[in-house]
Amino acid sequence: MTAKIQFSRGITEETVPDIRVTRSASGKSGTAIFTFEDPQILAADNTAEVTGMYLIDEAGELSTRDVKVKFYDGKARVLEATLIMQSADEWNRFLQFMEQYAEVAGLELQRKSDD
């Protein structure tokens, strides 16, 4: 099994998101914002309902219900999901998922400098 993201159980989202991650100064909590432009779940021919965002890998599942749809020119075009990690364990579990997902989706880490 490989890492995948779903918005409706059983339907894997193929669109690769832009992911912005912040971590608290203590390192014990963090936030990840996933932005999907024109995701398949919002396609006109799709009838599945967005019930949350589910990050699924070999170790299990992380999920959030904090999912927003943005409309442009009257059409649902962007999905933004926020995952909040409230402990070091949750942060480490998120990183574990991201390592697997990055490999599958061809993502690479870019650190933002404080210039």
Side-chain angles (χ1 to χ4, degrees):
M1 183 173 155
T2 59
K4 57 190 170 187
I5 297 175
Q6 298 181 346
F7 291 106
S8 186
R9 299 252 184 227
I11 302 172
T12 298
E13 179 59 53
E14 300 298 330
T15 303
V16 177
D18 176 60
I19 306 165
R20 300 195 184 277
V21 181
T22 58
R23 190 171 184 187
S24 68
S26 70
K28 293 184 179 179
S29 64
T31 303
I33 299 173
F34 293 73
T35 304
F36 295 81
E37 291 190 26
D38 295 315
Q40 293 174 318
I41 192 78
L42 298 180
D45 61 347
N46 181 38
T47 58
E49 182 179 339
V50 174
T51 58
M53 181 177 72
Y54 310 97
L55 310 177
I56 303 166
D57 65 10
E58 295 168 358
E61 176 182 298
L62 299 166
S63 66
T64 181
R65 298 245 183 248
D66 187 353
V67 180
K68 298 177 181 119
V69 178
K70 294 184 180 182
F71 290 80
Y72 295 96
D73 297 324
K75 294 181 182 176
R77 298 281 312 274
V78 175
L79 259 179
E80 185 176 279
T82 303
L83 179 69
I84 297 174
M85 289 116 347
Q86 299 179 341
S87 69
D89 286 344
E90 287 180 5
W91 176 259
N92 290 331
R93 176 65 184 95
F94 168 74
L95 291 179
Q96 178 184 356
F97 169 82
M98 284 308 302
E99 285 178 12
Q100 292 179 49
Y101 186 73
E103 189 173 316
V104 170
L107 296 173
E108 59 184 65
L109 177 65
Q110 294 179 350
R111 295 188 184 270
K112 185 177 179 183
S113 64
D114 294 331
D115 298 331

